[in-house]
Amino acid sequence: VVAVLAPVSAAEIAFTGGSDGTCTDLSVAANWAGGVLPGAGDTGVVDYSTFSGDGALTVGSDLALGGLSFRNATAALTLSGAGTLSLGAAGLGVKNATALSLKLPIVVTAASTWPFNKGALNLHSTISGTAKLGISEAGACCVYAALGYDGDLTINSQGLRFYAVGKMAKTLKATGASDDNASSYVSPSV
């Protein structure tokens, strides 16, 4: 007898904020629809048309997702915490938010492009991995930390500012306007 298993497809799983809709930790299963924590093949979706919490979200313990999407936020978002966020091919996306500040370690596990739909991206922490990473359509991209990324990084932004000195990526291609008052950067340093 031969058993044939159907392939498991990636799913979009909605962040609900738990039973009262206000919990902010993305690494807690009870805060997701059906109490199911998205996995490495799934995309977690934080949709502010259905989630009633504020824009300050956390990752309290390590979390591996296929992707993470923020939708319909009307204010700036912050993602911070003690955990590391690992993202796969679906990457990180922001639709209809003014800004996203990343203040936690990010691991890129597969080649991806992160679309920002003209919202600003503020990078305050390291990004690790070796896969090709693109950041596109950012209204502004401000880099406040030496990213230390070991892969190829392309940033396409309307306003690009580097406030950190140190290794940014194995190779860095940046397009868009830059701020002459921002500190210079050194990349790569391999």
Side-chain angles (χ1 to χ4, degrees), residues 9-15 26-27 32 36-47 57 59 63-71 79 84-95 100 102 106-116 133:
S9 61
E12 282 195 353
I13 299 176
F15 184 77
L26 298 178
S27 61
W32 294 89
V36 176
L37 191 65
D42 300 319
T43 297
V45 177
V46 181
D47 188 337
L57 297 170
V59 176
L63 178 62
L65 303 173
L68 182 59
S69 177
F70 294 95
R71 300 176 184 162
L79 188 57
T84 296
L85 177 62
S86 297
L87 295 169
L92 181 66
V94 177
K95 295 180 183 175
L100 173 62
L102 296 176
I106 305 282
V107 176
V108 178
T109 62
S112 61
T113 298
W114 297 358
F116 278 84
L133 174 60

Side-chain angles (χ1 to χ4, degrees), residues 11-12 18 35 65 89 96 164 170 189:
E12 282 195 353
L65 303 173
N96 304 328
K170 177 182 169 188
S189 58

Side-chain angles (χ1 to χ4, degrees), residues 39-143:
D42 300 319
T43 297
V45 177
V46 181
D47 188 337
Y48 283 89
S49 67
T50 57
F51 169 57
S52 60
D54 65 22
L57 297 170
T58 61
V59 176
S61 59
D62 293 352
L63 178 62
L65 303 173
L68 182 59
S69 177
F70 294 95
R71 300 176 184 162
N72 300 308
T74 57
L77 306 173
T78 300
L79 188 57
S80 62
T84 296
L85 177 62
S86 297
L87 295 169
L92 181 66
V94 177
K95 295 180 183 175
N96 304 328
T98 57
L100 173 62
S101 294
L102 296 176
K103 297 181 176 185
L104 76 166
I106 305 282
V107 176
V108 178
T109 62
S112 61
T113 298
W114 297 358
F116 278 84
N117 194 31
K118 310 299 180 218
L121 173 62
N122 300 307
L123 298 168
H124 295 271
S125 55
T126 60
I127 298 177
S128 60
T130 59
K132 186 177 279 191
L133 174 60
I135 297 173
S136 68
E137 302 178 32
C141 184
C142 298
V143 181

Side-chain angles (χ1 to χ4, degrees), residues 144-170:
Y144 295 96
L147 300 177
Y149 192 61
D150 289 323
D152 297 331
L153 175 61
T154 301
I155 301 173
N156 180 355
S157 170
Q158 292 176 355
L160 183 57
R161 299 176 185 100
F162 290 91
Y163 297 98
V165 175
K167 181 181 175 187
M168 292 296 147
K170 177 182 169 188

